[in-house]
Amino acid sequence: MDPNYSYLPQGLKPDESTPHWLSKGDNAWELTAAAMVGLQSVPGLVILYGSMVKKKWAVNSAFMALYAFAAVLICWVLWAHRMAFGTHLISIIGKPEQAMTQDFLLTKHSNYYIPTADYVFYQFAFAAITVILLAGSLLGRMNFYAWMLFVPLWITFSYTVGAYSIWGSGFLESIIDFSGGYVIHLSSGVAGFTAAYWVGPRHSQDRQHFPPNNIIHMLGGAGFLWMGWTGFNGGSPLASDLITSLAILNTHLCTATSLLVWLSMDMIFYNKSSVIGAVQGMITGLVCITPGAGIVESWAAILMGISSGSIPWFTMMVLHKKSAFFQKVDDTLGVFHTHAVAGLLGGILSGFFAKPKLLRMFYGSDKYGPGFLYSIIDGDIKRGIRQMIYQLLGAAFITIWNVTATSLICIFVSRIVELRLHEDDLEIGDDAVHGEEAYALWGDGERDPPRFNRTPKIPSFCRRQYGTTQ
């Protein structure tokens, strides 16, 4: 090896690009996990949304996800990351500052062995997928220009508050939320339902008949979502360690169980094995395990999967249809049930099943827990009750804040541009909103469909074969 380090770029010392505190294994895993979370949104939810809606809304639905992903990144590095994880301002939010200087990004992140740049990107991917999940409640009628204003406002005044309160240095830091059951899923479900109320319903025909335009593509998007959750929950320890391994296994155990339970419920009560239902069960399983993925045992993950495959099924398939309250609000993809209900369920069950040893391994202290079940076993039931109260208080705060902030944001945006598209545009869809269509097929959503008396154009090979002169 050249002792003068001539193999390095001019002016660079050997320890500058790989400082002594950097773990290359942890760094590589965290970047991989962050990329997997990003892939859940783009292309995962882009494909899922674009194929799960009616054909005439495919472009608009996919584009809402794509736009949000780009807009959130700019907001995140300019001010939002430090509001969620920066210097304390008040008990629910940090100071808005940029997160782009090398002095900030290339330093060691807290007590972990990765650069802060990894954490910024990983948390951006979390923030982006939260607002994209919220969009699932608004597909098929929201004015795209209103959406363009809504995204940065919601990330700034709603998401950052939940993130700082629970994950930052906020007043809810005693809550167990391993990877975002409250911060991401309860927030997106409640905010989506609230925004759907303010935006208003889809066109009456769409609300009555809204079939997916491509179930196979829908499954492809769902696959990105499922496998990307490996990074979603596996990246939260910010290291490649034992908790990471357990979190990944538990994630898939809970998800598979939830999917099978939801599928079974559909078959028992509707005599149909619904593909869409299976995807919904998959999503509720992913959401439910998120707040406890690395701090519960695997048998508990299976029990959580049974709960997430049955309770959200009941709220969506039974309660929703019977409740005037739910019927009044047009939640396009049922995000309230798949994310708010499942996220709340996961947060409560995490407070119940959290194992003390795993909590210590993840948080590095005895500050959290124990789970209520283990507090009974250990004879320290007061601490278990206290943790369950924390979980309930956290859920209440996230719910109230998102209802309030989302409502104010929608009211503000509505003063600038209409939240809902005009009825004429709602009848047409993508062609009216973007001047583009998902498929070059005649049918639903075309502004100027071909007339029936128009003579079809015969391809040249047909003219030769059949001797026609057309």
Side-chain angles (χ1 to χ4, degrees), residues 348 351-352 372 383-393:
I348 293 172
F352 187 86
F372 184 73
R383 291 189 64 197
I385 292 174
R386 183 183 64 184
Q387 188 62 53
M388 292 299 292
I389 292 174
Y390 284 153
Q391 300 301 110
L392 294 172
L393 288 176

Side-chain angles (χ1 to χ4, degrees), residues 1 30 68 70 72 95 97 103 106 110 132 232 338 345 357 377:
M1 184 70 71
E30 198 59 30
V72 170
K95 293 181 180 179
E97 298 177 279
D103 290 342
L106 300 184
S110 188
I132 294 172
F232 195 105
T338 56
L345 181 64
K357 179 181 178 180
I377 296 173

Side-chain angles (χ1 to χ4, degrees), residues 10-21:
Q10 186 174 4
L12 183 66
K13 297 178 181 179
D15 61 342
E16 286 186 310
S17 61
T18 54
H20 66 89
W21 51 260

